[in-house]
Amino acid sequence: MRAMVLLAHAGHLDHKSGTVHALGLGWTTSPTPTPQHTLIVFVEVEWSEIGKPFPIRAELIDSDGNQVAQTEENVINARRHPVHPKGTPVTIPFIATIPPLHLKVGERYQWRVTIAGEMHEDWLAGFTVTDG
């Protein structure tokens, strides 16, 4: 399993096409309180995992490793589309809308994602809080 984690100012998951529409993708600094934003995760699973449920959640960690916020736990499922050749990996998009957060200026934060109880070093998106 692989995952790519991104931050956007806004995002919408199109369930029909399995795509994410995003604005302001890839930001790395934010004033405080942070504006509402979107955490976007693309999860790639193996063909053999199609149809299996995967619990997914994210937590916001400060530079000391303390949890500051978290998303609700959700469940994602890989679906096979007729165009996927047998045996190819399938990508599952997931988004979470994050409300404004009052965070400390000058601090670095990371959204860390856990999928089916697994967390990897690169399953994160970080940002630094500025004073404006």
Side-chain angles (χ1 to χ4, degrees):
M1 178 182 313
R2 296 183 336 165
M4 181 188 321
V5 184
L6 303 165
L7 292 172
H9 292 299
H12 170 75
L13 175 58
D14 183 334
H15 292 280
K16 185 176 179 182
S17 67
T19 59
V20 174
H21 304 279
L23 296 172
L25 192 62
W27 57 269
T28 58
T29 62
S30 177
T32 191
T34 62
Q36 178 174 295
H37 58 281
T38 303
L39 179 70
I40 301 171
V41 184
F42 293 101
V43 182
E44 184 179 89
V45 300
E46 296 301 320
W47 183 263
S48 60
E49 297 175 311
I50 290 176
K52 292 182 182 178
F54 294 96
I56 185 171
R57 67 179 174 84
E59 55 187 0
L60 184 63
I61 305 297
D62 67 16
S63 57
D64 292 326
N66 300 311
Q67 182 182 2
V68 176
Q70 68 181 20
T71 63
E72 291 183 21
E73 185 165 300
N74 290 277
V75 175
I76 56 174
N77 290 286
R79 298 179 311 174
R80 183 179 66 79
H81 296 280
V83 297
H84 286 133
K86 185 175 182 177
T88 60
V90 175
T91 301
I92 311 166
F94 169 79
I95 70 167
T97 300
I98 311 300
L101 299 169
H102 292 274
L103 302 174
K104 187 176 176 183
V105 172
E107 191 80 25
R108 179 95 177 137
Y109 295 88
Q110 292 180 336
W111 279 106
R112 295 184 182 174
V113 175
T114 302
I115 305 166
E118 278 186 58
M119 184 188 309
H120 291 270
E121 265 182 46
D122 58 346
W123 292 1
L124 58 87
F127 63 96
T128 301
V129 176
T130 63
D131 59 3

